[in-house]
Amino acid sequence: MTDRDTVNRTEKMKVTTCLNPLHTALAVYGCLLGYDSIAAEIQNPLLKALVEKIGYDEGIPVVVDPGILSPMDFIHEVIDQRLPNPFIPDMPQRIATDTSQKVAIRFGETIKSYIARPELDVTGLIYIPLAIAGWLRYLLAVDDAGRPMACSSDPMLTALQEQLAGVTLGEPDSASDAVLAPVLSNPALFAVDLCEAGLAGKIGAMLREMLAGPGAVRRTLEKYLSC
């Protein structure tokens, strides 16, 4: 029927570019913005633009092409047919489960691909860093309205929240580069050291924007994804 390499390439296309990274970005921002349905949140023009930018603009340039189907056709079907389908009753809270075990594959592999190709500028990435900054904001367990929010189960949740314990909504400077460095430099989380990759400063700046106060997550998305 097929061969192992084709299966592996198809899986890598899906989990590092065409589906799973988009799911994780929607999961963390969906929770922060109060959604309980992926199909509902993809109707938000800001969130749809986010996954389009992550997929088309930043993922497709380094996508693994399995040869048996088009990555561009696959991602187009995911964004325009699968994610908006109300008969697939998926929730951002479910997808946010175990995110610490997923970000290395879903975002780290793309970052590694940029680093490996000297003609590409990894520091030019915007939307993958925005997704990572959103995850850090999510870990504070406070939604965009400033209300307590339950985080989904994750084997590293307690440890990560302890590392971010001093980061506070309404106090952007509490998320200093020094505070974030132990998290962002951890290759076990991201498959790369984001400080060495030159992305930690950008992620930290985005997170600080999202800490300005209630509504700051939405305002930050509007800044980077004006529709």
Side-chain angles (χ1 to χ4, degrees):
M1 297 292 289
T2 187
D3 60 83
R4 184 180 298 275
D5 287 344
T6 299
V7 172
N8 289 341
R9 288 195 300 269
T10 303
E11 177 71 2
K12 191 165 186 178
M13 177 196 71
K14 171 186 173 289
V15 302
T16 68
T17 303
C18 292
L19 175 57
N20 298 54
L22 316 185
H23 254 164
T24 290
L26 289 173
V28 296
Y29 279 108
C31 292
L32 287 167
L33 296 176
Y35 288 97
D36 59 9
S37 162
I38 292 292
E41 73 167 295
I42 197 66
Q43 303 304 319
N44 183 322
L46 290 172
L47 297 175
K48 184 177 182 184
L50 175 62
V51 295
E52 288 175 335
K53 295 289 189 181
I54 291 172
Y56 293 130
D57 291 10
E58 297 184 345
I60 286 293
V62 294
V63 70
V64 173
D65 188 341
I68 60 169
L69 59 124
S70 161
M72 187 64 79
D73 289 347
F74 187 98
I75 195 171
H76 176 74
E77 182 175 336
V78 165
I79 293 174
D80 292 325
Q81 296 182 43
R82 173 172 174 164
L83 294 177
N85 187 343
F87 299 104
I88 303 177
D90 216 342
M91 301 175 65
Q93 291 77 14
R94 183 196 72 81
I95 298 168
T97 301
D98 297 340
T99 299
S100 71
Q101 309 302 294
K102 301 172 180 176
V103 287
I105 298 296
R106 299 185 179 192
F107 301 123
E109 288 300 314
T110 294
I111 294 169
K112 283 168 61 179
S113 294
Y114 272 79
I115 292 170
R117 292 173 56 173
E119 74 274 16
L120 298 176
D121 178 14
V122 68
T123 64
L125 293 172
I126 297 172
Y127 306 103
I128 288 174
L130 187 59
I132 294 170
W135 179 50
L136 298 182
R137 174 64 181 79
Y138 163 90
L139 289 170
L140 304 186
V142 178
D143 71 13
D144 194 34
R147 300 170 301 211
M149 176 189 75
C151 291
S152 301
S153 62
D154 188 305
M156 293 190 67
L157 181 61
T158 299
L160 288 166
Q161 289 183 329
E162 288 175 354
Q163 288 182 288
L164 299 173
V167 178
T168 306
L169 180 64
E171 300 179 20
D173 290 344
S174 63
S176 67
D177 290 342
V179 168
L180 300 180
V183 176
L184 296 177
S185 64
N186 185 350
L189 278 176
F190 300 105
V192 293
D193 181 330
L194 294 176
C195 296
E196 290 184 358
L199 292 173
K202 181 179 293 186
I203 294 166
M206 290 171 167
L207 174 59
R208 286 187 285 274
E209 291 180 76
M210 287 188 269
L211 291 172
V217 171
R218 186 177 298 275
R219 291 193 297 272
T220 302
L221 289 171
E222 289 171 349
K223 172 183 175 179
Y224 292 98
L225 297 158
S226 298
C227 298

